Amino acid sequence: EVYQILTRVYHGGYTHANRHILELIIDDVITICYDFASSYPYVMLSEKYPGSKFCYLEKAMSIDKILKSSEKYAYIFKLILVKPRLKNDFIPMPALQYSKCVKIVNPVEDNGRVLCAAYTEIYLNEIDLALIEQQYDYDNAVCMDSI
């Protein structure tokens, strides 16, 4: 069961075009793009990772509780959002992925990224939660089945 949740939580990198400049022809501008093979070796040496087994916590936890203790603890959980919507239209790459949602009602999406919806359920970790908290407003939220 935990393995299945982990396959929903952890995924590859974010690859997405800036939705505000798709199909836009940029004249008289030099565009530079950098690519690298992998940032994993650096991150494996520079960041903290869980060093023991996950254990089940409270059935429901608040976003604030998870974010306040995220420097000390790692979390995986199902985030339920009622009426999530982008805080502003200038966010080029929204963090909420349609393909990772286990349940979503009436989504408006852009190339696989959720701009708004009536309801979503998605498995996340505390790092993804921080990104979603920065980018989205919502009417109600709860983190369920925390481990």
Side-chain angles (χ1 to χ4, degrees):
E1 178 185 359
V2 173
Y3 175 77
Q4 290 175 342
I5 291 171
L6 288 171
T7 60
R8 292 181 180 133
V9 172
Y10 297 104
H11 49 86
Y14 291 112
T15 302
H16 186 73
N18 183 327
R19 62 194 180 95
H20 298 294
I21 60 169
L22 281 173
E23 299 178 4
L24 179 69
I25 297 173
I26 302 172
D27 291 327
D28 300 328
V29 177
I30 297 173
T31 304
I32 299 172
C33 177
Y34 292 99
D35 196 6
F36 49 89
S38 179
S39 61
Y40 288 123
Y42 167 76
V43 172
M44 293 298 290
L45 294 172
S46 67
E47 304 298 325
K48 295 187 242 179
Y49 289 93
S52 60
K53 291 175 77 173
F54 283 92
C55 60
Y56 285 94
L57 301 171
E58 303 165 35
K59 181 77 174 153
M61 294 179 73
S62 71
I63 288 175
D64 288 340
K65 186 173 184 176
I66 289 175
L67 292 178
K68 283 180 184 176
S69 60
S70 66
E71 282 296 315
K72 189 173 181 182
Y73 298 104
Y75 293 93
I76 51 178
F77 52 88
K78 179 169 59 175
L79 175 66
I80 298 172
L81 295 173
V82 176
K83 294 188 179 176
R85 59 211 173 264
L86 283 176
K87 288 185 177 184
N88 66 63
D89 190 47
F90 299 109
I91 298 169
M93 191 174 82
L96 197 54
Q97 295 183 80
Y98 178 83
S99 64
K100 288 291 182 178
C101 291
V102 292
K103 185 171 185 181
I104 189 163
V105 177
N106 296 332
V108 174
E109 62 173 300
D110 172 53
N111 195 21
R113 301 302 174 141
V114 178
L115 306 179
C116 64
Y119 177 89
T120 60
E121 292 182 10
I122 186 169
Y123 284 92
L124 296 175
N125 58 38
E126 74 282 358
I127 297 166
D128 292 330
L129 178 64
L131 290 172
I132 288 171
E133 181 69 11
Q134 289 173 1
Q135 294 182 354
Y136 289 85
D137 286 324
Y138 44 83
D139 289 355
N140 202 355
V142 66
C143 301
M144 299 293 297
D145 305 327
S146 302
I147 52 177

